[in-house]
Amino acid sequence: MLRSIKKEIQAVFDRDPAAKNLLEVLVCYPGLHAIIFHRIAHFFYRRRLFFIARFISHISRFLTQIEIHPGAKIGEGLFIDHGAGVVIGETTEIGNNVTIYQGVTLGGTGKEKGKRHPTIGNNVVISTGAKILGSITVGDNSKIGAGSVVLKDVPPNSTVVGVPGRVVVRDGQKVNGAVDLRHDLLPDPIAEIINNLYGEIDHLKKRITELEESVAGRAHNAPEKLQKSAS
């Protein structure tokens, strides 16, 4: 447990440029506090002392605004940045060196028993407000865009955005014409579809205007043609 906590502290320095010194990290980072509470709660949970485990996690939720079920399995080097509103379900499994931002939910999709929460691979980044739901797997080295809702397995080395989540980059290659951008500049496939629709509407408007002008021109020239044919 102490080795894991040491790696979580180092993860803060590695991934948050705002971290200035050890005292600040130990006292002022609720994400770190939530992980420490979880390590203790998980210790009791594994020994089937469920009430003590849940009570510790309840105190952690009250103090940090981060809810981690004591049954969740979390690897080393987890970094929860800001953290308010993060929810991690009971059967969630998280690999090593994962980064989670505020408002993320790793949740279930129903009342089924057994494995009902996601499995997150190593070196995964889950951006603000993302929801990963159900017993699905997010592969190693993947990125989940802000506000995405992921309901299907994500291959390793992928970037997912949208509602529902779509893979837009895989193994460094663009998928379906997506743009490979930084974590804070991920493409929005819904916006791209809407922009394409606007383009189609403009094209149709121009086409309709051309047809109306053509019909009006023919109607204007019709009397002159009748006079010429009569003469």
Side-chain angles (χ1 to χ4, degrees):
M1 185 186 300
L2 292 177
R3 184 188 66 184
S4 296
I5 292 172
K6 184 177 180 180
K7 289 192 175 182
E8 264 92 61
I9 293 172
Q10 186 58 47
V12 175
F13 286 108
D14 291 341
R15 298 176 223 169
D16 186 2
K20 299 297 188 296
N21 54 66
L22 179 61
L23 179 62
E24 177 188 15
V25 170
L26 290 174
V27 175
C28 302
Y29 276 72
L32 177 62
H33 302 158
I35 296 168
I36 293 173
F37 274 114
H38 172 73
R39 300 290 185 201
I40 299 170
H42 188 65
F43 172 85
F44 288 103
Y45 187 89
R46 290 177 59 188
R47 284 153 183 79
R48 305 187 65 81
L49 299 172
F50 299 128
F51 174 77
I52 296 175
R54 288 302 300 268
F55 185 68
I56 293 172
S57 97
H58 183 70
I59 293 174
S60 173
R61 180 176 181 268
F62 177 77
L63 295 174
T64 66
Q65 300 182 50
I66 298 169
E67 182 171 350
I68 307 177
H69 193 284
K73 298 177 181 178
I74 298 178
E76 297 178 341
L78 174 64
F79 175 45
I80 303 176
D81 195 10
H82 298 292
V86 167
V87 177
I88 299 175
E90 178 184 14
T91 61
T92 301
E93 298 179 27
I94 300 176
N96 298 325
N97 303 316
V98 172
T99 302
I100 296 176
Y101 290 88
Q102 66 269 23
V104 165
T105 298
L106 305 179
T109 55
K111 297 181 179 180
E112 68 275 10
K113 299 292 185 179
K115 185 74 168 76
R116 61 191 184 278
H117 297 97
T119 297
I120 310 299
N122 300 321
N123 308 310
V124 173
V125 176
I126 307 175
S127 304
T128 304
K131 315 299 178 187
I132 304 177
L133 306 176
S135 181
I136 62 176
T137 299
V138 177
D140 295 348
N141 309 308
S142 291
K143 297 179 182 179
I144 309 300
S148 299
V149 178
V150 183
L151 303 173
K152 297 181 180 179
D153 289 346
V154 177
N157 308 306
S158 298
T159 299
V160 174
V161 298
V163 181
R166 300 173 179 84
V167 176
V168 294
V169 175
R170 183 182 301 161
D171 294 323
Q173 300 297 318
K174 300 174 185 177
V175 177
N176 295 328
V179 180
D180 185 10
L181 298 172
R182 301 196 317 266
H183 145 69
D184 58 331
L185 297 173
L186 294 176
D188 185 346
I190 303 301
E192 290 176 4
I193 292 171
I194 293 173
N195 289 333
N196 290 336
L197 288 175
Y198 276 126
E200 290 292 331
I201 290 171
D202 288 339
H203 174 72
L204 291 173
K205 284 181 177 179
K206 291 178 181 178
R207 184 61 179 154
I208 291 171
T209 301
E210 292 173 357
L211 291 172
E212 288 176 344
E213 291 175 350
S214 176
V215 170
R218 291 176 183 176
H220 177 74
N221 295 329
E224 296 180 359
K225 291 182 178 179
L226 289 174
Q227 290 177 0
K228 290 180 179 179
S229 61
S231 61

